[in-house]
Amino acid sequence: RVRAARAQLPGITYPADTDWQRRFEDEFAYQETDDQLAAMAEIKRDMTSPRPMDRLLCGDVGFGKTELAIRAACKAAEAGKQVAVLVPTTVLAEQHERTFKGRLADYPFEVQSISRFKTGAEETEILAELAQGKVAIIIGTHRLLSKDVRFADLGVVIIDEEQRFGVEHKERLLALRLTADILTLSATPIPRTLHMSMLGLRDISSLTTPPLDRRAVVTEVIAKNPIRLTQIIARELARQGQVFYVHNRVHDILSVADDVQRLAPGARIAVGHGQMGDAELERVILSFVRGEADILVCTTIIESGIDIPRANTIIIEAADRFGLAALHQLRGRVGR
């Protein structure tokens, strides 16, 4: 019903690329792949046509989906519209805020995020500015879908890893603004999303070419073996890298961290999981990002989108307890 209504209503027609937009795209530090350029052309075609965009952008982890989302956000913000970026986890909201702010540093668009890491007062202030139209790009978890979040002029909604949100979240989003353009990013689209693309209810763009110099991730499935684990950790640390050690049970994660410490006596170990206080979790993740810890013993909180280029080895304990999408996402944390 929502989709039928969207098809009938005129969407927002954005102007063609300006010099600003071209300059912004030229500032990208890497060489775009052909797929990226093709997908961006499709996204722009959607944005400049009167029909509301509803596009699914599929691409493996690290294939450059975020950059395309930032370009679409920049185009919308330049036309005076607001952009909402919906992400599944607090850690990812924090990381996207850094990425977006970094890329848009030279442009007069205010980027903010709302998540558990913000205090109540900060959140109230951000929401007030959002309602007045001062914030151009807002990044947040499903907190963005709350009743008290009001936009002055919402133009584009970007949903990162759609399969992590419930159906009611997404319908609330679509109903929020029937005319808003929707861009969905996913490395592992759920069958329902894919099915809708196949039916033609939404358009699909695929990124299949890895970026230049991207190596394939070597995946081993082995029985738990302390000697092998010691070798794996030692090899990664010898080249000044970092290791993720995923143990998805909070109740004994500290004793697992002690076991890991015995495997790598000289390593600095950090522990992170979703039941920690927000400030503490943020401190742990940031210390790992800054390279102040060598091994992060954690639950699947790292699963979505967190990008730490120096971490190139991941050990997943009891992998048989994970779903395929979760394993695919976790594997994507390494080999950037």
Side-chain angles (χ1 to χ4, degrees):
R1 203 166 62 242
V2 171
R3 296 195 187 269
R6 275 173 66 89
Q8 296 308 314
L9 288 166
I12 304 156
T13 308
Y14 291 91
D17 282 2
T18 59
D19 291 341
W20 261 26
Q21 181 76 22
R22 283 190 281 273
R23 193 181 96 198
F24 177 70
E25 294 185 4
D26 290 341
E27 286 168 2
F28 185 46
Y30 306 97
Q31 179 64 47
E32 297 100 334
T33 63
D34 293 346
D35 288 350
Q36 269 181 308
L37 294 171
M40 197 63 228
E42 288 170 346
I43 291 168
K44 284 180 182 168
R45 197 172 62 231
D46 286 353
M47 289 177 79
T48 50
S49 84
R51 192 175 68 106
M53 168 165 77
D54 194 358
R55 182 167 289 280
L56 169 66
L57 179 58
C58 280
D60 216 334
V61 184
F63 276 32
K65 297 187 295 291
T66 308
E67 170 63 21
L68 298 191
I70 294 176
R71 290 182 183 190
C74 177
K75 189 172 180 65
E78 196 190 343
K81 298 286 183 186
Q82 288 176 301
V83 181
V85 184
L86 192 64
V87 296
T89 63
T90 315
V91 173
L92 190 53
E94 196 77 353
Q95 181 176 298
H96 270 346
E97 184 184 16
R98 277 204 305 275
T99 310
F100 273 72
K101 276 185 172 165
R103 274 294 269 127
L104 291 160
D106 300 339
Y107 297 82
F109 308 130
E110 189 175 343
V111 179
Q112 288 291 358
S113 78
I114 52 173
S115 67
R116 289 187 333 196
F117 290 154
K118 294 275 192 283
T119 63
E122 285 176 325
E123 201 168 279
T124 310
E125 188 185 338
I126 291 169
L127 290 180
E129 288 187 350
L130 185 69
Q132 292 160 15
K134 290 181 184 169
V135 175
I137 300 172
I138 183 93
I139 300 163
T141 53
H142 46 263
R143 171 77 180 83
L144 276 184
L145 303 179
S146 311
K147 296 275 192 286
D148 62 341
V149 179
R150 289 191 181 78
F151 294 90
D153 189 1
L154 180 61
V156 175
V157 178
I158 296 167
I159 309 173
D160 200 358
E161 294 305 340
E162 185 186 30
Q163 74 279 6
R164 303 291 297 278
F165 294 98
V167 174
E168 70 283 359
H169 283 151
K170 283 177 263 187
E171 297 310 323
R172 160 104 182 86
L173 246 177
L174 287 174
L176 189 71
R177 270 299 296 276
L178 281 169
T179 52
D181 284 352
I182 307 265
L183 177 64
T184 305
L185 318 177
S186 182
T188 49
I190 52 172
R192 173 176 173 268
T193 310
L194 211 51
H195 177 63
M196 290 174 104
S197 305
M198 299 302 178
L199 284 178
L201 285 174
R202 36 196 337 187
D203 304 306
I204 185 165
S205 297
S206 262
L207 303 180
T208 51
T209 325
L212 214 61
D213 298 333
R214 177 73 188 263
R215 304 248 182 103
V217 178
V218 179
T219 310
E220 284 184 44
V221 181
I222 54 172
K224 194 171 178 185
N225 174 348
I227 298 166
R228 185 78 185 93
L229 289 179
T230 307
Q231 291 168 342
I232 291 167
I233 294 170
R235 187 184 66 197
E236 184 60 48
L237 299 185
R239 54 175 213 85
Q240 268 81 52
Q242 291 170 294
V243 180
F244 291 117
Y245 192 101
V246 180
H247 173 82
N248 209 22
R249 294 280 180 277
V250 173
H251 68 91
D252 60 346
I253 196 165
L254 291 173
S255 66
V256 169
D258 291 340
D259 296 343
V260 174
Q261 186 74 76
R262 281 193 284 279
L263 296 175
R268 297 164 301 171
I269 291 181
V271 177
H273 56 78
Q275 292 178 19
M276 289 175 141
D278 303 339
E280 194 187 355
L281 179 59
E282 184 181 14
R283 192 179 51 74
V284 167
I285 297 286
L286 284 176
S287 75
F288 191 67
V289 170
R290 292 182 188 130
E292 291 160 12
D294 303 312
I295 303 174
L296 178 63
V297 178
C298 57
T299 57
T300 52
I301 53 161
I302 61 157
E303 177 186 357
S304 285
I306 184 169
D307 181 10
I308 301 173
R310 282 179 40 203
N312 272 302
T313 295
I314 184 166
I315 296 165
I316 303 170
E317 209 173 82
D320 53 307
R321 291 183 182 167
F322 292 87
L324 272 179
L327 286 173
H328 186 77
Q329 288 286 354
L330 285 167
R331 185 171 145 253
R333 294 311 104 219
V334 294
R336 292 295 176 111

